[in-house]
Amino acid sequence: MKRFLGFVVKEFYHIFRDYRTLLILFGLPAIQLLLFGFVITNEIKNAKIAILDQSRDEVTRRISEKVLSSGYFILEKNLRSSGEIGQVFRQGNVKLVLIFGPDFAKNLDKTGNAKVQIIGDASDPNTANILVNYIQGILSNYIISLNAEKIPLQIIPEVRMLYNGQMKGVYMMVPGLMAMLLMLISALMTSLSITKEKELGTMELLLVSPLKPVQIIIGKVFPYVFLAFADACIIIILGNTVFGVPVVGSVALLLAESFLFICMALSLGILISTITNSQQIAMMISLVALMLPTILLSGFIFPVENMPLVLQWFCHIMPPKYFITIIKSIMLQGNGFRHIAFETGILAGFTLLFIFISVKKFRIRLA
Amino acid sequence: MSAILVEHIAKHFGTVKALDDISFSVDKGELFGFIGPDGAGKTTLFRILTTLIIPDQGKATVNGLDVVKDYRKIRQDIGYMPGRFSLYSDLSVEENLNFYATVFGTTVAGNYDLIRDIYVQIEPFKKRKAGKLSGGMKQKLALCCALIHKPSVLVLDEPTTGVDAVSRLEFWEMLKRLKESGITIVVATPYMDEAGLCDRIALIQDGNIMAISTPSEVIKKYPNSLYSVKSDDIFSLLNDLRKFPDVHTVFAFGQAAHVSFKPGQSAGSSLQDYLQAKGHSGIIISPVQANIEDCFMELMIK
């Protein structure tokens, strides 16, 4: 036990003397969260549009006002002819053109059928889609307000979004980032710290010493459990104070699940380091083989349900997917352990599997 | 009982034969040197002895323990200093020493007697990071770390490579003192001049042991007659000597050339005349006693 403690103390020396890595360890989560929270967002504000109003009557003016006062749009230009449409799009600032047909108010009044056209710039399909939806929403609201005076027959759906009432993107980001950063720190750092000893030749002396493989492995991992756990807390606190992401469920349960996920990622890091001999390869594996699937296949950014079937199977063997499900369930829905027992079990299973393979594969010799 | 017994050990990496059927034994308390150039197989041999790699064939024991089966027990008994500096550069001198002491289940204070002579020399720098020490001090610290658990066998892989001449001498002084305290020491070195400081040496080349004996025995077995030849132009001297009839070998040795003749032949006075005819001035020819390097060169030719 004393040997083991001596080893752990040495590991802490390594970590605390390497200022740069330490800075990354604690700076990265904060910066990432702020970046993802502020920059990557599905809400679009102040999109520039152009309007071609061929009737210039009271109704079109009122609709235009509604559109421009919604906060989503800024009028870049009033067009005079349809010839100008292609030109404004090519200039690149305008994302959408709204066109009112001639005699808009008259047609609406007489035939009840006025023509309006929305042209979006689909070189960025997501943005175009969202903007078009906004305009359609505004238009149909206007129609409903007109109808309210004339016909009493109407269906007005009352929509309520549960767990994230304002549809804030950052609610999605916090769980995703937790999974991503904990994975990065835990797996990358441990795999690096073990391969570093191999590279510097110090592993040669450790192997010749009476330390057991298990002691070396656990000793390496031990400090990172604390560091990663501190990072998890930073993300939760920042998410809560800066972005107002709530923790509806039990904080203790959330921390316990984070702890489990950290152990899983650490054991994965050990596994990587037992099968590689250089820091560079360990880094490549951690970054490419772990980070990309964590981001792409975990349901963090892209919904798993939309993927081709084969990719969906891959998603099911990605541990972060289960962790993201768990945190969302606890943080946003406030569920208890009963609802996430299955996911927890899977994470625990992964952890045991990785540790088992690592201990089996750990080389007690050099070659 | 021998401290180390090696029988017919062979090891190859891919197509490269690192060790080719090597056998030898080292007695308890002996200071045993492996002398050979880089790539001779010294490090491979030492890694087998320290249980770090498994030989392809043959059997090796340390203190009667098999290097493959009883690796765990051997690791308690031996002190190992790898060829490359393998301490933690970001830990201080003191912290490195404490770390190795703890890992081997002992304390610095407990075995201080053994390392005192060496440690006092680096103690003034005990707060300094190991990475910032000079080459000689690094080696002293590494030796302390290898000794801290009072091993019965000390395996040192090129401990003096890259160390200045004065520190090298000091280092060998320390090894002698350690030997007196009963520790078996096996040391590898590419420096021929260090061979004379060992009790016995093995000359190793291309994975084969060419000779194994005491340094004086090795020298005694040198078969040829050997001369040291000097002249004012050493470069053309070497070339001219090689063209001299009956000459066996010519090697540069410091400021002189070592010229050997097969047994029964000698330079005689004809060499002096030959060199003078070639236009050399300041010629000094004197018979010399062979040293380890001469022996090594002779064995290499065979």
Side-chain angles (χ1 to χ4, degrees):
Chain A
M1 194 61 201
K2 229 178 154 189
R3 293 175 181 184
F4 174 70
L5 283 182
F7 191 81
V8 171
V9 168
K10 181 207 74 142
E11 287 305 312
F12 271 109
Y13 280 143
H14 285 322
I15 293 167
F16 287 119
R17 287 192 185 160
D18 190 355
Y19 303 110
R20 264 168 258 149
T21 310
L22 204 61
L23 200 67
I24 292 173
L25 268 180
F26 289 106
L28 191 71
I31 292 170
Q32 290 271 39
L33 182 62
L34 296 178
L35 274 182
F36 273 82
F38 283 121
V39 178
I40 301 185
T41 159
N42 295 330
E43 305 150 53
I44 296 165
K45 287 173 189 156
N46 302 332
K48 290 181 176 159
I49 60 165
I51 295 176
L52 173 58
D53 191 346
Q54 292 169 326
S55 46
R56 294 176 188 279
D57 52 40
E58 194 196 344
V59 181
T60 60
R61 216 173 300 132
R62 217 180 299 155
I63 293 175
S64 297
E65 265 167 32
K66 274 194 184 283
V67 166
L68 295 177
S69 62
S70 66
Y72 298 121
F73 302 104
I74 290 178
L75 182 64
E76 172 84 1
K77 198 174 182 189
N78 265 313
L79 304 181
R80 260 163 281 148
S81 74
S82 55
E84 285 178 84
I85 295 172
Q87 198 192 334
V88 288
F89 274 127
R90 270 194 298 278
Q91 279 169 358
N93 287 333
V94 167
K95 297 284 173 224
L96 181 138
V97 173
L98 179 63
I99 306 165
F100 297 103
D103 301 323
F104 194 89
K106 208 193 279 173
N107 285 341
L108 190 65
D109 198 35
K110 279 187 181 160
T111 64
N113 191 359
K115 280 184 181 152
V116 65
Q117 188 180 18
I118 308 168
I119 304 176
D121 174 4
S123 59
D124 181 353
N126 283 337
T127 313
N129 219 344
I130 292 167
L131 292 181
V132 168
N133 281 337
Y134 283 161
I135 297 258
Q136 278 179 337
I138 294 168
L139 285 175
S140 56
N141 270 342
Y142 181 75
I143 304 284
I144 288 165
S145 70
L146 282 185
N147 287 347
E149 295 162 18
K150 291 178 182 170
I151 320 158
L153 203 64
Q154 50 184 299
I155 299 172
I156 303 176
E158 194 172 300
V159 181
R160 249 191 85 205
M161 293 296 186
L162 284 181
Y163 311 124
N164 183 359
Q166 293 152 293
M167 302 277 275
K168 280 192 186 161
V170 75
Y171 279 35
M172 264 296 295
M173 290 297 161
V174 168
L177 270 180
M178 285 246 309
M180 190 180 103
L181 287 170
L182 293 185
M183 193 81 168
L184 180 72
I185 287 159
S186 313
L188 182 65
M189 291 298 170
T190 40
S191 64
L192 282 188
S193 96
I194 294 180
T195 45
K196 192 174 172 191
E197 299 241 11
K198 288 187 183 177
E199 253 178 30
L200 294 179
T202 46
M203 193 52 108
E204 210 170 326
L205 280 181
L206 287 184
L207 287 178
V208 174
S209 80
L211 278 175
K212 294 194 184 83
V214 178
Q215 287 176 314
I216 296 179
I217 288 180
I218 309 264
K220 278 274 164 202
V221 161
F222 202 71
Y224 289 103
V225 173
F226 288 101
L227 295 177
F229 197 68
D231 270 335
C233 296
I234 291 180
I235 297 173
I236 295 172
I237 292 170
L238 266 186
N240 191 283
T241 51
V242 180
F243 298 107
V245 181
V247 181
V248 182
S250 148
V251 176
L253 183 60
L254 181 63
L255 292 180
E257 293 285 348
S258 303
F259 185 77
L260 177 65
F261 182 70
I262 289 167
C263 291
M264 193 286 306
L266 290 173
S267 53
L268 190 56
I270 298 166
L271 184 60
I272 293 172
S273 65
T274 53
I275 54 176
T276 58
N277 280 322
S278 83
Q279 292 192 72
Q280 213 166 3
I281 296 174
M283 183 124 86
M284 286 307 285
I285 295 181
S286 308
L287 286 180
V288 178
L290 295 184
M291 290 311 296
L292 282 181
T294 307
I295 296 174
L296 299 179
L297 298 180
S298 62
F300 165 26
I301 294 179
F302 306 109
V304 175
E305 292 75 12
N306 292 354
M307 294 179 193
L309 202 59
V310 181
L311 277 184
Q312 288 197 30
W313 294 336
F314 271 108
C315 295
H316 290 307
I317 55 167
M318 293 292 152
K321 171 184 175 277
Y322 298 98
F323 181 58
I324 291 178
T325 312
I326 290 172
I327 356 185
K328 275 192 201 159
S329 177
I330 301 174
M331 284 181 86
L332 304 180
Q333 301 179 314
N335 287 332
F337 181 73
R338 209 159 42 84
H339 292 90
I340 49 170
F342 172 70
E343 283 83 0
T344 310
I346 286 186
L347 282 187
F350 271 118
T351 313
L352 293 178
L353 178 71
F354 292 148
I355 291 180
F356 178 76
I357 302 176
S358 310
V359 173
K360 279 271 162 217
K361 290 215 75 163
F362 188 85
R363 294 205 202 107
I364 51 166
R365 295 171 211 274
L366 280 182
Chain B
M1 192 178 67
S2 326
I4 294 174
L5 187 67
V6 170
E7 287 167 336
H8 306 294
I9 286 282
K11 177 80 190 174
H12 64 86
F13 299 104
T15 55
V16 181
K17 263 212 150 117
L19 291 176
D20 187 11
D21 195 25
I22 277 187
S23 303
F24 65 91
S25 72
V26 178
D27 293 334
K28 277 220 158 93
E30 199 174 13
L31 175 50
F32 193 97
F34 278 90
I35 320 290
D38 293 341
K42 301 187 299 281
T43 300
T44 306
L45 178 62
F46 280 19
R47 283 183 172 167
I48 288 174
L49 292 180
T50 50
T51 77
L52 282 170
I53 53 181
I54 298 177
D56 294 340
Q57 63 172 69
K59 191 170 145 46
T61 59
V62 175
N63 289 338
L65 299 165
D66 188 87
V67 292
V68 179
K69 272 199 318 247
D70 307 317
Y71 73 94
R72 210 158 258 299
K73 282 185 199 149
I74 293 183
R75 289 177 182 188
Q76 295 269 12
D77 276 5
I78 51 168
Y80 175 44
M81 188 172 152
R84 202 156 51 123
F85 179 68
S86 300
L87 301 177
Y88 298 99
S89 327
D90 56 341
L91 299 191
S92 71
V93 169
E94 215 177 9
E95 286 160 351
N96 266 299
L97 196 56
N98 276 323
F99 171 66
Y100 283 103
T102 334
V103 158
F104 279 94
T106 175
T107 58
V108 176
N111 286 331
Y112 190 69
D113 287 350
L114 199 57
I115 60 162
R116 183 193 292 126
D117 290 342
I118 312 163
Y119 191 59
V120 286
Q121 301 180 41
I122 47 174
E123 203 164 16
F125 312 100
K126 64 180 181 186
K127 298 280 177 210
R128 193 183 285 187
K129 300 268 163 67
K132 298 223 160 82
L133 291 175
S134 70
M137 284 203 275
K138 275 182 183 167
Q139 298 307 82
K140 282 170 196 164
L141 174 59
L143 184 60
C144 285
C145 290
L147 278 172
I148 194 63
H149 59 291
K150 223 172 181 174
S152 62
V153 176
L154 193 57
V155 179
L156 310 172
D157 191 2
E158 302 201 5
T160 53
T161 299
V163 174
D164 68 86
V166 177
S167 298
R168 267 169 62 191
L169 268 180
E170 280 178 7
F171 199 89
W172 278 92
E173 284 300 314
M174 287 171 208
L175 293 190
K176 275 192 184 157
R177 248 173 284 152
L178 288 173
K179 183 185 111 77
E180 278 156 25
S181 66
I183 296 177
T184 310
I185 303 172
V186 184
V187 58
T189 178
Y191 300 117
M192 306 286 169
D193 56 331
E194 291 178 346
L197 304 165
C198 304
D199 293 338
R200 280 199 304 151
I201 53 171
L203 301 184
I204 181 169
Q205 160 85 1
D206 287 333
N208 287 295
I209 293 182
M210 300 186 296
I212 185 161
S213 196
T214 61
S216 53
E217 276 296 316
V218 170
I219 289 167
K220 218 185 274 173
K221 280 190 188 142
Y222 186 76
N224 308 324
S225 43
L226 188 70
Y227 297 88
S228 161
V229 182
K230 280 186 186 174
S231 93
D232 293 340
D233 182 1
I234 182 81
F235 181 70
S236 61
L237 176 70
L238 287 171
N239 282 330
D240 291 337
L241 282 171
R242 284 196 180 111
K243 287 177 201 141
F244 186 70
D246 299 334
V247 77
H248 178 50
T249 59
V250 179
F251 293 110
F253 202 89
Q255 290 303 306
H258 274 194
V259 185
S260 71
F261 293 89
K262 282 271 184 180
Q265 294 173 327
S266 66
S269 56
S270 56
L271 181 58
Q272 177 94 22
D273 300 339
Y274 167 79
L275 289 176
Q276 255 162 5
K278 286 275 177 187
H280 284 280
S281 58
I283 303 165
I284 306 168
I285 302 176
S286 48
V288 284
Q289 176 78 54
N291 59 30
I292 297 288
E293 192 163 349
D294 294 314
C295 299
F296 195 93
M297 295 300 197
E298 177 63 24
L299 288 164
M300 254 174 75
I301 293 167
K302 287 183 187 168

